[in-house]
Amino acid sequence: MLLSKYKGSALAALAGDCIGAEYEAAWQPVAYQTLMKLEEILKNSQAASRRFLNYTDDTEMAHELAKSLVENGKFVAKDVASKFTKTFFTSPPCRYYGASVRTVFEKLQKASPFSDPFGPASEQFDGQGSYGNGSAMRVFPVALFCHGNQELLEKLAALSAKLTHVHIDAINGAKLQASAVEIALSSSDGSISWLEFWQKLKDLIDKLEVDVPEKVYTNKLDMIKELIAREEVASVHEFEDKVGTGIKATEAVCAAIYAFLMCLADRQPSELSSLSKVQQVVFYSISLGGDTDTIGTMAGAIAGAFYGDEGLPSYWLSACEGEDMARDLATKLHELNEK
Ligand code: 8NA
Ligand code: MG
Ligand code: MG
Ligand code: MG
């Protein structure tokens, strides 16, 4: 059912951020045993004493974007810029925003009432724009809003990115991540192989990078295919070396896609075999290390859109700040899309 996929996407994105944030500061691979220990803690503790996991900038911005789409029934740049800016200046320190994006919000706030919502982002890094993964980490609501309309999806993924990130890699990262969620919404377990899923992403990136000289996504997607197709599973160090897990959109988006496709190909590690498929994708993506909350949230958004919300245990969701909001926004985006 489509509603289950909408909820799955929003809730697994939330869980990926909240759980991934526990390991973000370490900037190294996370052992499966460590993740399974957290699983046991969450599973066996009473609701009242359960460890509470805060979400970070990824979820905060995704939810603000979703609220704006729901309230307006369309993308309104000034409203999204206003919501991003207001939450940035009122949110608690546990959100851990990227180091440079503050400048964008300071400029937006100064020029309130948001007369030039795209201006400040275009001045970042001497006009080059940010290539951070912030454009892609928050984009899944665009896929839920645009489901069935790829042209609109690409347009809104780009516009939502450009409020903070104008670098071509950040824009294409947002389009690629949103498209992965859309493919997941439009297909189901058993109806598509990992290679067919990969091919759809490759066709898209061939088009998006036709005039991009470096073709970073093209090369990384080719590498991902090679790694999944070969017999020996890549070590996290080899993956880090060949694709990357860092704050660049090109690395984190490809890492999230790799984690999802590895599980779709049934190549997930046996240590995680007691978990549901969605849980496996979230944990496997976090195990890659690096920007764990962001890779976790993006892999979760794709996996939840594919498998639905059934595989997300209540003891995971009740441990996450923002569960009710995620569920509510998914339901409203689903209602809007049905109209
Ligand atoms: P951003 O736009 O501030 O970019 C993040 C960082 O990427 C910048 O501070 C730069 O170091 C670098 N960067 C981006 N573009 C360029 C460029 N053109 N030239 C040189 N360096 C560049 O923020 P964002 O929204 O993209 O960041 C998202 C990430 O930050 C997410 O992973 C999110 O979870 C958060 N994050 C926070 C922490 C933390 O502990 N505060 C750690 C990792 C990630
Ligand atoms: Mg974060
Ligand atoms: Mg690296
Ligand atoms: Mg992050």
Side-chain angles (χ1 to χ4, degrees):
M1 209 174 71
L2 193 59
L3 179 58
S4 160
K5 285 169 158 283
Y6 271 64
K7 286 183 189 167
S9 186
L11 291 167
L14 175 71
D17 181 20
C18 290
I19 296 172
E22 294 283 294
Y23 310 99
E24 188 183 11
W27 291 102
Q28 57 189 13
V30 185
Y32 305 133
Q33 292 88 327
T34 305
L35 291 163
M36 288 307 288
K37 215 190 235 167
L38 177 68
E39 166 71 7
E40 285 307 305
I41 291 171
L42 294 178
K43 196 175 186 171
N44 296 324
S45 55
Q46 298 298 322
S49 61
R50 188 164 293 141
R51 184 117 143 253
F52 192 67
L53 308 171
N54 286 115
Y55 62 73
T56 75
D57 57 339
D58 308 60
T59 298
E60 180 156 275
M61 297 188 89
H63 285 187
E64 291 309 307
L65 176 56
K67 281 180 211 167
S68 183
L69 290 168
V70 165
E71 282 170 26
N72 297 292
K74 60 181 178 180
F75 179 83
V76 180
K78 283 184 188 184
D79 186 55
V80 181
S82 161
K83 284 182 162 57
F84 280 173
T85 305
K86 280 180 187 144
T87 45
F88 176 82
F89 285 110
T90 51
S91 65
C94 63
R95 303 299 185 225
Y96 302 114
Y97 276 81
S100 311
V101 77
R102 160 176 285 275
T103 314
V104 174
F105 297 128
E106 281 169 352
K107 288 181 183 174
L108 283 171
Q109 194 186 40
K110 251 189 216 153
S112 181
F114 304 95
S115 50
D116 181 18
F118 298 106
S122 66
E123 292 165 10
Q124 291 291 88
F125 300 96
D126 297 324
Q128 193 193 31
S130 172
Y131 53 54
N133 55 37
S135 57
M137 73 184 182
R138 64 181 189 232
V139 81
F140 80 83
V142 165
L144 304 192
F145 179 76
C146 298
H147 174 51
N149 187 341
Q150 178 69 21
E151 197 183 324
L152 184 66
L153 176 150
E154 288 178 41
K155 188 179 153 197
L156 298 194
L159 285 173
S160 65
K162 284 180 187 170
L163 293 169
T164 48
H165 294 65
V166 304
H167 194 287
I168 187 67
D169 287 344
I171 293 168
N172 282 344
K175 289 183 184 179
L176 183 61
Q177 167 64 14
S179 299
V181 175
E182 166 63 7
I183 297 165
L185 284 175
S186 308
S187 47
S188 57
D189 196 11
S191 77
I192 190 168
S193 70
W194 76 266
L195 194 55
E196 288 164 341
F197 201 112
W198 177 90
Q199 189 63 54
K200 285 176 189 277
L201 296 174
K202 184 64 178 4
D203 291 345
L204 173 77
I205 221 60
D206 282 344
K207 183 190 83 177
L208 296 180
E209 288 198 325
V210 72
D211 294 321
V212 181
E214 290 82 11
K215 305 211 185 318
V216 186
Y217 287 105
T218 306
N219 295 332
K220 286 188 191 289
L221 281 180
D222 285 343
M223 178 54 66
I224 284 171
K225 180 185 172 190
E226 203 179 304
L227 293 176
I228 300 175
R230 82 179 193 198
E231 208 170 308
E232 187 199 345
V233 173
S235 71
V236 282
H237 298 290
E238 182 183 4
F239 184 80
E240 167 61 30
D241 198 42
K242 292 188 168 160
V243 180
T245 56
I247 50 120
K248 286 183 175 179
T250 51
E251 295 189 11
V253 172
C254 290
I257 289 169
Y258 171 75
F260 170 73
L261 292 180
M262 277 290 278
C263 295
L264 186 57
D266 264 327
R267 307 212 66 203
Q268 67 277 21
S270 59
E271 288 89 337
L272 305 181
S273 61
S274 64
L275 305 174
S276 73
K277 257 308 172 56
V278 189
Q279 288 180 295
Q280 289 179 10
V281 174
V282 170
F283 271 6
Y284 185 57
S285 68
I286 291 170
S287 77
L288 298 173
D291 197 350
T292 46
D293 64 323
T294 300
I295 297 172
T297 203
M298 293 192 292
I302 303 167
F306 191 69
Y307 296 107
D309 66 349
E310 290 86 6
L312 287 164
S314 57
Y315 58 81
W316 263 33
L317 299 175
S318 60
C320 296
E321 177 192 10
E323 177 195 1
D324 293 344
M325 182 60 76
R327 208 182 286 282
D328 182 54
L329 289 169
T331 306
K332 286 179 172 151
L333 286 166
H334 176 257
E335 269 168 29
L336 260 183
N337 188 264
E338 280 210 313
K339 276 185 199 161

